[in-house]
Each structure stands twice: as structure tokens, then as C-alpha cells.
Amino acid sequence: MEHAFKVDLRGIIDLLSNHLYSDPSVFVRELLQNGVDAITARRARHGDFEPLIEARLLRGDGELPRLEFRDNGVGLSESEVHEFLATIGRSSKRIDEARDTFLGQFGIGLLSCFMVSGEIELVTKSASGGPAVRWLAQADGTYTLEVLPGDHGADIGTTVRLRAREDTDFYFEYDELRGALENYGRILPYPIHVTDGEQYAHVNAVMPPWLAYAAGDTSKRDEVLAYAREELGVQALDAVPLRSEAGGLLGVALVLPHATQRSSRQWHSVYLKRMLLGHDLSNLLPEWAFFVRCLLNVDGLHPTASRESFYEDDALKAAREALNAGLRGYIEELAQQDPKRLDALISLHHLPLKALATEDDDFFRLLAPEFSLETSTGRMKLGEYARHSPTLRMVTDLDQFRQIAQVASAYGHSVVNAVYTYDVPLLRQYARLFGRELEEVDAQTYALSLEDVAAGGLEGVLARANAALSGLGCEVSVKRFEPAELPALLIVTSERRLLDDIEAAQEVSDEVFSEFLADYAAEYEEVRVSRLHLNLGHSLVQELLHVDDGAVFARLVQMMYVQAHLLGHHPLRAEELALLTGGLSDMMRWGLRATRLDTLN
């Protein structure tokens, strides 16, 4: 036995207000949608006429406010009211027409009015002839239908009347209603009027300039930037026109004046057939385009039931590809015709542009030479770095970079500090595309290239130096390297740094966790030793070799060790801080003693 579904209208209304629509104010959008579609249908079926959409607020003494929303569109006959307004999910637009011509497709828009009103009164008269009809619907799912007398005088079109509830009268205030009409209908092609009897506005009397600019009127660029500044509060660096037959897309991308992150979500305005759809383009813009804010109108994409986003189909995919191509084309044009503006763009938005470059070899070849890198010889563009460095050298750890930066530059080597987002994939991609050698270096392997000094005669010195640093986990060697002004170079491996962190954590941990950390630290015992390379090219090191006083020799070695710590940006442990304090005190005492001796002499 077959049974028909029963619909609980209260449940449907709860579904609309709490799950489908993001804000009760969308009832204004749904009323606008019905009015625009009705006018579009009347023009298509009955010829041209002067369109009208009007919202009128009414308020009596001690009464809750009321809203009359009128359009002079195609209207409905008595049979159409029964067919379309009493059947949830049934649209008055034919499916083929709805997809290509009308805004509404799902036949649920009018129900959104129940989110702000306990009943909906609709008076309508069809452009095809026949009497006016009055439809009165309650939130419990019941409705009455009345055919009005022929002398009622209703004009062609539809009027919807709503009375606010006590908890929704906010939406029936003039400023709120006007703002909602402007928000949703700012670029609709039909005039929209709002009044409360004392105040009046034609909310879409002036069309924003970005539509004309996007359509090809390049003289509007300054107006678009002024509009962005005054209306949107965006001091845009540039306005990029975007248009494509795919999706019937027309709009602009405003280049933001501040750096952005890939995870940040921008506020956009996307319109469907000139009705605001929403402010989220997450499934339309390419992922890398998080440095722009877009104003877009599309005619050929298909909305979800809430009409706050698009659903995935071939049309959306084509539109997304068109937007990707349009923004890429803008950047390519800057690279070829306006390098200064490209530099300004890259300096602010290097992250999204690097993200795009790593995904597209052609785009990489165009932009990669302009990306800035931090190197041991200063900041420079990747193209400049590659011209001066046959071998591309990179360090992927900041501590390692700090240790070798001075020595590498002194030897004429430029090493890239590739610790920033996308630097490693950029260098690898550059090496692959341009056939260059890429070498990843660290301080430990770099130190192996330092010039060894013959150990003959230095065994005693090294033994005394190692004794001075006993208990610090450091071994001393003598090398000769540049720059000659650097007396010592301390090399600390990343494993040694990790071990130091573990030991620091042990000091503040409870017994159980301390034992766990001790077991973990045992795995790194073989890498406990850091290395202090004394530079035989430095005069102080040369004098140190001839110091016979054991206490002075030890203190000088210890201070060179602390100085190398500081120059290499290594964190000072309690042991190093104690050496620094003791060494400074000894040197001050030695200075005072030398002063007294000079005075006696």
C-alpha cells in the first residue's frame, strides 16, 4: 500500500532558520528574488514595461511594525497559487528556465518569511488576466485562499504583507531594512525603493563602478579604487578586471595592501545574476589567491538550496579555472610590463605567489628570479643569487645558518637561509628546471672545509685548552680560516642542541618524567661534544699559544668559548653564564692590578 509523505511545516521552518539559512535577514533576499524573477518572467512573456520593487514599512500606535513588499512582475493566477505556494519544494519557475534565467529554483524562498513573521499574506494578480487572489498562510501549515472581487483594483504583480513578532521587530526597522536591501540588491537591474512614510531611499540608484570596469571600461580604474577605499575600507594596491564566458563571470579582484596568510579567509562579495549570494568564495577562487578581495557577478553557476554558495559541477570548475587564469595573467603582465609594481606586489604577497610558482613550472620560470632570499651575503633575489653562485647552497636550520654565515661569506660562498616557507621547494625547483647543482650544508660539514693546522707543537696547548673547558661538552681544535677577525668558531650540532633542551627540561621535571627524559637523552650521548675551532689567523689566538700562566690561559680560552657562543647566537646555559660572569670579574681585577703596577712604576 502506498502512502503519501506528511510535512511538518514547523519542522521545515526550524530547518530553514537553524540549518539552511545563516541569518533571518535572508527573508529580504528571498522577497527580492521573487520580485526580480516575477519581473523577468513578465518581460519575457508580455513585453517591456517599467519595473518596480518597493518595500514599505507601516507602524500603528502600540502595534508591531508591518512590511509591505510589492513588485509589478508577472503575478500568479488562482490555480498557480494552489500549485506553487501550497506545495513545498515546488518552484513556479520551470526547471530549464530556472537554471538559466531565474534566481529561485527550489520553491522554498517564501517560507523564509516565517522566520520573522507568524503569518504571510500575499495578494497577487496575474499579467495573463483574471481576478486578484489573496493567500493567507499560517506557520502551522494552514492557509486560506480568497478570490477578490473584480472591482478590487489590484494592479498586476504581487504584494507580500508581514507583521513582525516581538522577537523579530529589529528586522522591521527602517535602517535595518534599507541596509539589507542595499546589501542584497545593490547591483540588481531593477529599481528598488524603501520607505517608512517619513524616510525614503532608492537603494540601487547608483551602480558601483566595478561592473563597468570589469566589462572593459578601463577609465573606471580610479573610481574602482576610490569605491574600495570609501565603501569597503580597502586601500587596494590595484584592481584586476576578471571576466570569462565560463560561468558568465564578471568582476574585479582588489589587491590587498597588507600581507596575508594562506589560512586567512577574505571577505568577498559574490553575486548570482546580480543578487548577492554571499561573502565566501572558498570553492570558487584558487587556493593561492588569498591576497585579493573579490567583487564578482556570475550568471551561469548553480546555487545550493540556501543560495549562499555554489555546488560543485562542471560550470563551477570552468569558472574556477577562468579566475585562476585571470589572476595569473595579471601577474604575468606585471612581470613583462611593470617590474616595479611586480616588486611591490611580491614584497607584500610573496607567500601566495611562491605557492603558485611551486605548482606551475611556467609560472615559476616567470616569477622565481624575482623572489627575495636571505643569504650569508645579504638579501638578494633568486635570479641574482644564481648568477653569482654556480652551486646553490642552502641551510635548513636557523641555528646552523648563524654558525656558518660569517665563515661562508668570508670564503666567497653565499649560503641561503632556507628556513622560510617555500624556500626549500623553490630552490629545488630552480635546480631542476635550470640544471643547477643544489647542495644542502650544515655547520658541521662546513667546518670540515676549514684549513687544518699542523698539530706538531700544539698538543700541549690543545690539552690545556680542553682542560679549561672540561665538563662543558666541548673539544678544541686549531684551524686557519676567514674572516681573520673572527678568533673562534663554535659548531653545535642540532643533536647537541636537542640534548641541551632535554637536560634543561630534566631540571624542572618531576622524578618520573625526569627518568623518562634521561633514557631519551642516553640515545644522544655520542653527540654530546660541540667543537670550538680557534682561528690561528687571529692575533689573539697567536698570543694565546705563548701564555704560560695556567689561570690566565684557561680564562682566555673560556672567554673565547663564551664569545663564540654569542657570535653564533647559541643560547647560554647556566655554565656559560657563570663563565661569562667569572671571566669579566677576573679581567676587571687584572686591569686594576695592571693599573696599580703602572702607578708604582
Side-chain angles (χ1 to χ4, degrees):
M1 179 182 294
E2 290 185 353
H3 298 277
F5 284 104
K6 294 181 180 180
V7 175
D8 180 355
L9 187 57
R10 289 185 184 275
I12 293 293
I13 293 169
D14 178 70
L15 177 66
L16 296 179
S17 58
N18 295 323
H19 303 284
L20 185 62
Y21 296 124
S22 60
D23 187 333
S25 69
V26 298
F27 84 94
V28 177
R29 183 191 67 191
E30 299 301 329
L31 290 173
L32 272 177
Q33 168 217 293
N34 288 339
V36 169
D37 285 345
I39 290 172
T40 302
R42 182 177 176 184
R43 281 190 162 177
R45 300 170 192 173
H46 302 281
D48 200 12
F49 67 101
E50 281 297 320
L52 170 69
I53 297 176
E54 182 182 47
R56 181 181 296 273
L57 286 170
L58 305 170
R59 184 189 293 270
D61 291 339
E63 293 183 350
L64 289 167
R66 291 170 292 148
L67 169 65
E68 286 190 355
F69 196 95
R70 168 165 171 74
D71 70 76
N72 62 348
V74 71
L76 295 172
S77 66
E78 179 184 2
S79 62
E80 288 171 335
V81 169
H82 277 297
E83 181 180 1
F84 299 121
L85 296 187
T87 306
I88 294 175
R90 183 77 175 273
S91 174
S92 61
K93 278 74 74 171
R94 295 197 310 271
I95 294 300
D96 57 340
E97 287 182 318
R99 291 178 70 88
D100 299 328
T101 306
F102 300 117
L103 290 165
Q105 300 177 23
F106 300 99
I108 58 175
L110 194 60
L111 293 182
S112 66
C113 295
F114 281 126
M115 293 191 293
V116 295
S117 179
E119 66 177 23
I120 302 171
E121 180 185 1
L122 180 143
V123 176
T124 182
K125 185 173 183 178
S126 175
S128 300
V133 177
R134 179 175 178 268
W135 179 78
L136 183 63
Q138 307 297 327
D140 62 6
T142 62
Y143 73 92
T144 59
L145 185 64
E146 177 187 1
V147 178
L148 300 177
D151 60 352
H152 183 270
D155 295 325
I156 292 173
T158 300
T159 299
V160 176
R161 296 188 178 99
L162 307 173
R163 184 184 296 275
R165 299 195 307 263
E166 290 186 358
D167 62 331
T168 62
D169 59 345
F170 168 75
Y171 298 103
F172 289 71
E173 294 179 1
Y174 176 80
D175 289 339
E176 178 67 17
L177 179 61
R178 174 182 173 175
L181 289 168
E182 286 182 344
N183 184 39
Y184 291 116
R186 188 185 307 273
I187 66 171
L188 283 172
Y190 307 137
I192 303 168
H193 308 274
V194 58
T195 183
D196 65 353
E198 297 179 357
Q199 304 174 86
Y200 162 82
H202 181 178
V203 300
N204 59 344
V206 179
M207 286 289 109
W210 61 265
L211 282 170
Y213 180 62
D217 186 351
T218 56
S219 67
K220 295 288 186 180
R221 179 178 178 274
D222 290 343
E223 290 184 43
V224 172
L225 295 176
Y227 175 83
R229 184 171 57 252
E230 296 164 9
E231 298 294 328
L232 307 178
V234 177
Q235 190 77 29
L237 295 181
D238 208 348
V240 185
L242 301 169
R243 52 184 175 270
S244 169
E245 292 184 5
L249 187 149
L250 193 68
V252 298
L254 302 172
V255 180
L256 296 174
H258 50 79
T260 54
Q261 298 295 323
R262 188 166 193 145
S263 59
S264 64
R265 297 186 62 167
Q266 301 304 332
W267 181 95
H268 304 280
S269 292
V270 55
Y271 298 82
L272 174 64
K273 298 181 177 69
R274 297 203 171 193
M275 176 78 77
L276 181 71
L277 190 79
H279 299 293
D280 185 3
L281 285 178
S282 58
N283 68 340
L284 184 55
L285 276 179
E287 289 186 4
W288 57 268
F290 49 88
F291 66 101
V292 296
R293 178 171 170 180
C294 291
L295 306 170
L296 292 177
N297 180 65
V298 296
D299 290 331
L301 299 185
H302 307 131
T304 59
S306 67
R307 296 219 337 278
E308 295 178 3
S309 62
F310 301 111
Y311 66 78
E312 290 286 341
D313 58 12
D314 290 341
L316 180 62
K317 180 180 178 181
R320 187 185 298 124
E321 291 173 352
L323 281 173
N324 183 79
L327 290 170
R328 277 188 48 185
Y330 162 72
I331 298 170
E332 291 169 355
E333 183 179 351
L334 288 185
Q336 296 165 3
Q337 300 180 13
D338 201 337
K340 288 185 177 180
R341 281 172 67 195
L342 179 64
D343 280 344
L345 181 68
I346 291 177
S347 66
L348 263 183
H349 300 296
H350 57 278
L351 283 179
L353 296 180
K354 285 179 178 179
L356 175 60
T358 57
E359 297 170 1
D360 188 300
D361 286 352
D362 291 335
F363 203 69
F364 182 90
R365 290 185 178 93
L366 178 70
L367 280 190
E370 304 303 318
F371 290 136
S372 179
L373 300 170
E374 181 183 347
T375 77
S376 57
T377 51
R379 294 203 69 86
M380 63 179 69
K381 292 182 178 181
L382 177 52
E384 178 187 1
Y385 173 76
R387 284 194 297 273
H388 293 93
S389 301
T391 298
L392 310 180
R393 294 183 174 89
M394 68 177 181
V395 178
T396 58
D397 180 275
L398 180 58
D399 293 325
Q400 296 284 310
F401 176 77
R402 288 169 172 171
Q403 292 182 64
I404 68 175
Q406 288 178 295
V407 176
S409 58
Y411 278 94
H413 297 167
S414 189
V415 181
V416 176
N417 181 22
V419 300
Y420 301 102
T421 306
Y422 297 116
D423 280 1
V424 171
L426 281 175
L427 288 167
R428 288 175 177 167
Q429 195 164 354
Y430 193 95
R432 174 177 63 82
L433 291 177
F434 295 98
R436 303 293 289 273
E437 181 181 354
L438 175 64
E439 180 182 352
E440 183 173 348
V441 298
D442 58 31
Q444 199 168 11
T445 56
Y446 210 90
L448 297 176
S449 65
L450 302 180
E451 181 183 345
D452 288 320
V453 174
L458 295 178
E459 292 88 350
V461 172
L462 291 175
R464 295 166 66 199
N466 282 314
L469 300 181
S470 176
L472 294 173
C474 181
E475 290 186 357
V476 182
S477 69
V478 179
K479 302 273 189 178
R480 189 188 299 275
F481 53 87
E482 297 293 334
E485 298 79 14
L486 186 66
L489 175 66
L490 180 66
I491 301 297
V492 179
T493 65
S494 57
E495 292 84 1
R496 172 56 194 270
R497 180 65 51 78
L498 175 61
L499 183 61
D500 289 344
D501 292 340
I502 294 173
E503 291 177 343
Q506 280 182 278
E507 295 177 2
V508 296
S509 300
D510 58 31
E511 183 178 352
V512 174
F513 194 60
S514 180
E515 291 179 1
F516 168 77
L517 290 174
D519 292 339
Y520 187 32
E523 300 179 14
Y524 293 92
E525 285 299 322
E526 70 276 8
V527 294
R528 291 188 63 89
V529 177
S530 58
R531 296 193 179 275
L532 180 68
H533 301 289
L534 302 179
N535 186 5
L536 193 58
H538 194 282
S539 58
L540 182 60
V541 175
Q542 294 172 6
E543 293 181 27
L544 177 68
L545 301 181
H546 303 289
V547 173
D548 294 325
D549 188 308
V552 173
F553 178 89
R555 187 58 85 187
L556 288 174
V557 171
Q558 291 167 356
M559 293 304 289
M560 286 185 181
Y561 169 74
V562 172
Q563 181 190 37
H565 251 281
L566 295 173
L567 290 176
H569 300 275
H570 305 293
L572 295 181
R573 300 173 298 174
E575 295 92 331
E576 283 84 37
L577 286 172
L579 288 180
L580 177 61
T581 302
L584 290 174
S585 297
D586 283 349
M587 289 181 177
M588 286 186 285
R589 282 196 295 269
W590 294 342
L592 290 172
R593 188 181 306 164
T595 301
R596 287 197 297 269
L597 290 174
D598 288 342
T599 301
L600 292 175
N601 293 333

